[in-house]
Amino acid sequence: MTAQDAYRQLLTIVRERSTLESVAGLIGWDERTYMPPKGGAHRAEQSSLLARLGHEMMSAPRVGELLAQAEGSELTRDPDAPEAANLREIRRGYDRAVKVPARLVAEIAKLCALGQTIWQDARKKSDFAMFAPSLEKMVGLKREEAQALGFADRPYDSMLNDFEIGATTSEITKVFADLRAELAPLVAAIGASGRKPKKEILAREYAVDRQHLFAQNAAAAIGFDFAAGRLDTTVHPFCSGHGPGDCRLTTRYDLHALNQGLFGTLHEAGHGMYEQGLDPAQFGTPMGTAVSLGIHESQSRLWENQVGRSRPFWEHFFPRAQQMFPGTLEDVGLDDFLFAINSVERSFIRVEADEATYNLHIILRFEMEQALFGGDMKVGDVPAAWNERFRAIFDMTPANDAQGCLQDVHWSCGGIGYFPTYTLGNLYAAQFMEQIRSDLAGLDDDFRRGDFRRLKGWLNEKIHRRGMQFRPRDLCRRVTGKTLSHEPLLRYLRQKYAAFYGV
């Protein structure tokens, strides 16, 4: 068998596995949107079976044999070639898969499905004790997975690598410390400025059906293809791409919180446009797969914040918002509206936090996860530890568990190590946007006309179509000419808030 034959067979296997995973993703989407409440136990069995079958496909000895035949051939002579990237990442996936027992993969998938239902009920009742046994079991399973995978320094590193290839606890700790050292004084200066936006504007009554229509129209305007996707509601917003032509967005609405549904939709649309921007001919291969959650998050945060909260964006959309919500925004000027949607205020809920304080929420979770996963914190101590750390950072104490440690879905489905990618996404987004503005003159004029095609085209070419050709840090360096830094994000935030708060 030639190296080319081995390579083609490998692609067939990974594409079939990706198709199976897309089915698992679809039933996961259904679980969090339309599944009847009593369907949870059976859904857990379905998820467990699909996860085990996918793992068995990837860890089969035949994959190792085909890799050995294809590696070291002319296919890998150019390390930047698509074939070389596919083989590199298939090798990584195979090496990780053979270390983890299929039994463990199935157990985690089953608990993930059950855990999300338990978490939803616990959050609704604001009762962490309901969720604690499930979390205890999940932490134990993920520790077992970390030991099976191995790690150079800390077990938590193996969890980070599930979401951000190459990330380490020590590296992220340093980046976050540098960011926090400059964020904290900025937030303090804003608080001391004395300037206050008219936030009541956003708490007026906004009919939910009109919010949905406006959010959907905005998502379509920036480039999300609704012929290949849809928008639904859920408890905790997310985006799931199930393959070419099928990308699902979710959001949640509040009659008296315009920000929640609108910016949640723009955020998920950013994720969705990444999924829709992947090369459909490469579906199932690393070259047709998003490179990391940090890069994925950069797309959502870029569209939600750098674009969606900007003046040029609202110079186009504000008159349309006034028409969509008659009697609600007619007496509001653009300046007051912009100040309201860009206000900085300490808050309890991460997904509703402003750009200045958001990363402080992530730093809290990063510290909590390390303590929990490393055994320095017991599951039963989570609510008290959360409140103590929250008070130290924000000088406020959550009123209940739903407002505190139960607000996020991630731990219920084993997403330990996921949270740091949100701040990495903010850092990547700021650095990418600086480069975009250097490459594309007149971008704000495009936004004022409601034209986002040049920005979307740049992202398609530089980020989306690259798939996993380059790993996250390498992709950042190739696109911007620099290694990832917290400085572009701080420059962006300082410039933005100088205009509103005079700091």
Side-chain angles (χ1 to χ4, degrees):
M1 179 185 297
T2 67
Q4 283 283 359
D5 290 336
Y7 178 69
R8 281 192 288 269
Q9 288 190 34
L10 275 172
L11 293 191
T12 297
I13 292 170
V14 297
R15 280 177 168 140
E16 288 180 349
R17 183 193 183 223
S18 292
T19 299
L20 192 67
E21 288 181 331
S22 72
V23 176
L26 189 58
I27 66 171
W29 168 85
D30 176 73
E31 178 183 356
R32 294 165 67 182
T33 51
Y34 294 109
M35 186 188 76
K38 292 184 178 180
H42 183 59
R43 182 56 44 85
E45 296 295 337
Q46 294 172 320
S47 299
S48 178
L49 174 60
L50 290 171
R52 178 173 61 79
L53 292 175
H55 179 266
E56 289 173 352
M57 291 174 70
M58 192 63 192
S59 60
R62 181 60 175 160
V63 175
E65 294 167 3
L66 293 170
L67 278 167
Q69 289 180 290
E71 291 170 330
S73 70
E74 71 281 358
L75 294 170
T76 59
R77 188 171 296 124
D78 177 2
D80 293 342
E83 295 82 2
N86 277 335
L87 288 169
R88 180 192 70 225
E89 298 306 329
I90 294 170
R91 164 60 71 184
R92 178 180 181 274
Y94 171 75
D95 286 348
R96 288 173 66 85
V98 296
K99 294 177 181 178
V100 182
R103 179 266 314 164
L104 180 57
V105 172
E107 280 189 53
I108 290 172
K110 182 176 181 178
L111 183 59
C112 175
L114 290 172
Q116 289 183 76
T117 301
I118 294 168
W119 166 78
Q120 286 188 24
D121 290 341
R123 181 179 179 272
K124 188 180 299 182
K125 297 175 182 177
S126 192
D127 185 358
F128 181 80
M130 292 176 60
F131 177 56
S134 176
L135 179 58
E136 184 90 55
K137 186 174 181 181
M138 180 61 80
V139 170
L141 292 175
K142 297 301 284 187
R143 284 175 181 156
E144 185 180 349
E145 182 185 47
Q147 292 299 325
L149 288 169
F151 46 87
D153 186 14
R154 307 180 198 179
Y156 187 68
D157 290 347
S158 66
M159 298 294 96
L160 290 174
N161 268 271
D162 269 351
F163 306 109
E164 194 73 11
I165 302 172
T168 66
T169 307
S170 58
E171 174 191 56
I172 290 180
T173 298
K174 183 183 184 309
V175 171
F176 284 12
D178 292 342
L179 181 61
R180 183 175 182 174
E182 297 194 50
L183 265 183
L186 175 62
V187 172
I190 289 171
S193 73
R195 297 187 183 183
K196 301 292 182 184
K198 299 175 181 177
K199 289 194 67 177
E200 62 82 18
I201 292 170
L202 305 176
R204 295 177 179 182
E205 187 170 306
Y206 294 88
V208 167
D209 59 341
R210 288 181 171 270
Q211 284 193 55
H212 178 79
L213 182 59
F214 187 74
Q216 185 165 282
N217 288 344
I222 64 175
F224 184 79
D225 181 5
F226 278 98
R230 55 182 293 129
L231 174 64
D232 296 275
T233 57
T234 190
V235 175
H236 191 102
F238 66 98
C239 165
S240 53
H242 305 299
D246 188 358
C247 182
R248 315 289 177 96
L249 311 181
T250 65
T251 194
R252 63 188 183 199
Y253 303 103
D254 185 316
L255 184 66
H256 295 287
L258 178 64
N259 268 14
Q260 188 175 118
L262 174 60
F263 290 105
T265 301
L266 289 176
H267 179 99
E268 301 307 336
H271 282 304
M273 288 191 289
Y274 192 171
E275 292 294 316
Q276 292 181 340
L278 296 168
D279 186 352
Q282 294 281 357
F283 168 73
T285 74
M287 282 297 296
T289 304
V291 64
S292 77
L293 278 177
I295 299 296
H296 225 309
E297 193 64 22
S298 76
Q299 304 304 283
S300 59
R301 300 294 283 181
L302 187 151
W303 285 103
E304 175 193 357
N305 294 323
Q306 303 252 356
V307 177
R309 296 181 193 271
S310 71
R311 175 176 288 273
F313 180 91
W314 285 103
E315 285 177 4
H316 175 77
F317 278 103
F318 189 62
R320 289 156 178 78
Q322 290 177 310
Q323 293 173 358
M324 181 64 72
F325 302 104
T328 305
L329 288 174
E330 289 175 355
D331 64 335
V332 177
L334 177 59
D335 287 343
D336 286 339
F337 182 80
L338 283 169
F339 197 2
I341 65 171
N342 285 291
S343 64
V344 174
E345 184 177 32
R346 293 169 300 164
S347 60
F348 293 106
I349 306 301
R350 173 186 63 85
V351 297
E352 298 168 13
D354 57 80
E355 293 179 84
T357 61
Y358 181 91
N359 296 300
L360 298 176
H361 288 265
I362 299 304
I363 290 169
L364 179 149
R365 287 155 175 80
F366 177 57
E367 293 174 350
M368 288 283 294
E369 285 192 338
Q370 290 180 73
L372 184 61
F373 198 68
D376 298 324
M377 178 193 302
K378 295 180 180 179
V379 167
D381 296 333
V382 164
W386 181 287
N387 291 350
E388 181 181 347
R389 289 172 188 263
F390 199 92
R391 190 161 49 246
I393 294 174
F394 294 98
D395 196 27
M396 303 189 302
T397 303
N400 51 54
D401 292 343
Q403 199 178 57
C405 61
L406 280 177
Q407 65 183 269
D408 294 302
V409 70
H410 303 63
W411 290 347
S412 72
C413 52
I416 297 169
Y418 191 125
F419 283 119
T421 66
Y422 289 117
T423 287
L424 291 175
N426 283 329
L427 297 173
Y428 283 126
Q431 195 154 323
F432 289 154
M433 201 62 177
E434 279 196 352
Q435 187 62 47
I436 292 167
R437 290 192 176 280
S438 174
D439 292 348
L440 303 178
L443 200 60
D444 285 343
D445 291 333
D446 288 358
F447 297 170
R448 292 184 181 98
R449 294 192 301 271
D451 185 351
F452 305 93
R453 290 172 296 179
R454 286 202 301 153
L455 173 56
K456 182 173 179 288
W458 191 98
L459 294 169
N460 286 156
E461 176 191 351
K462 304 288 187 179
I463 309 292
H464 307 162
R465 289 288 173 143
R466 296 288 187 176
M468 300 185 78
Q469 184 176 11
F470 308 113
R471 288 183 174 173
R473 284 178 287 190
D474 192 19
L475 176 65
C476 179
R477 187 171 58 252
R478 287 172 181 269
V479 170
T480 69
K482 303 172 185 175
T483 57
L484 182 63
S485 167
H486 69 286
E487 292 175 358
L489 178 60
L490 264 298
R491 282 194 290 270
Y492 160 71
L493 291 176
R494 287 179 179 129
Q495 181 180 13
K496 164 176 277 194
Y497 294 120
F500 292 113
Y501 291 97
V503 297

